[in-house]
Amino acid sequence: MRLVLASRSPRRADILRQMGVAFVVDSADVDETPLAGESPREHVQRLAVAKCLHVARRHTSDTVVLGADTTVDVDGEIFGTPRDVAHAREMLRRLSGRTHLVHTAVCVSHGTLAAPATPDGHHRVAIDTAAVAMHPIDPDLLERYLATGESLDKAGAYAVQGEAAMFVREVRGHLTTVIGLPVRLVQQLLGLSTT
């Protein structure tokens, strides 16, 4: 199997490497603006499929393409990647001392370049959700964290596996879901052994 990761995320690439999966990166540039009335789960599913199928069009049918998207869900509001430090600060203040959900959708498709498949290819998609409980975030610690720059390319403005681990009280669910690529779903969708 030739696997293509439709993402520039170094965290997703790290997870695949830790799984022992060989892959190449071919990222998709898709508009990630939420649609009117779109729920966080609908949003991540739509984007994971869009990224996967966008890249699949550039590859032949003997290639498997994996796309993913992650968002933070605060009472049904989508917290994507912050626009700037001020936006990251606002997000983290809202997450402080409370529990939120993190949804990651994963889509797998075969390339369609040389395949007589439907125009959007054949694909499978699944979503996993984890709940993240945060400690109240001390304002001084928040400013020190923001100064690291880590928050700027993360959904919800934090990386659970990075410096922001100090803000996290508990993760209920799979940590890899929060990081951005649920190992369990990837194994299921790619038909990999889970032993």
Side-chain angles (χ1 to χ4, degrees):
M1 173 181 71
R2 180 172 182 269
L3 180 67
V4 173
L5 175 61
S7 173
R8 283 187 295 267
S9 166
R11 295 159 300 281
R12 291 187 179 118
D14 287 345
I15 290 171
L16 283 178
R17 282 188 207 98
Q18 290 166 10
M19 292 174 66
V21 176
F23 64 96
V24 296
V25 172
D26 182 3
S27 62
D29 289 317
V30 299
D31 182 357
E32 299 191 12
T33 306
L35 301 177
E38 188 173 46
S39 74
R41 287 178 62 87
E42 291 166 340
H43 179 69
V44 292
Q45 179 169 322
R46 177 177 62 82
L47 290 181
V49 171
K51 292 173 183 179
C52 183
L53 298 184
H54 181 83
V55 171
R57 289 185 196 100
R58 300 194 290 243
H59 295 274
T60 56
S61 60
D62 61 345
T63 302
V64 174
V65 178
L66 186 152
D69 194 70
T70 301
T71 198
V72 169
D73 175 348
V74 181
D75 300 328
E77 184 180 345
I78 296 167
F79 275 30
T81 304
R83 295 180 300 274
D84 52 31
V85 172
H87 192 211
R89 181 182 294 111
E90 176 188 333
M91 286 182 176
L92 288 166
R93 284 179 176 162
R94 291 205 35 214
L95 296 176
S96 177
R98 60 174 301 175
T99 299
H100 61 274
L101 301 176
V102 178
H103 308 292
T104 296
V106 179
C107 180
V108 172
S109 176
H110 287 279
T112 60
L113 185 65
T118 59
D120 63 350
H122 299 291
H123 66 277
R124 294 187 300 148
V125 63
I127 301 174
D128 197 46
T129 298
V132 179
M134 303 286 257
H135 294 291
I137 301 173
D138 176 83
D140 290 337
L141 284 178
L142 174 58
E143 292 307 315
R144 277 187 258 168
Y145 177 66
L146 292 170
T148 69
E150 182 180 87
S151 65
L152 293 179
D153 68 339
K154 313 290 188 298
Y158 74 94
V160 70
Q161 75 282 12
E163 296 292 322
M166 64 184 163
F167 302 148
V168 176
R169 182 170 53 81
E170 178 187 15
V171 174
R172 292 188 302 274
H174 293 269
L175 184 63
T176 56
T177 297
V178 182
I179 295 171
L181 194 64
V183 168
R184 180 180 58 163
L185 285 190
V186 172
Q187 289 171 331
Q188 290 171 358
L189 291 171
L190 294 179
L192 301 175
S193 170
T194 58
T195 55

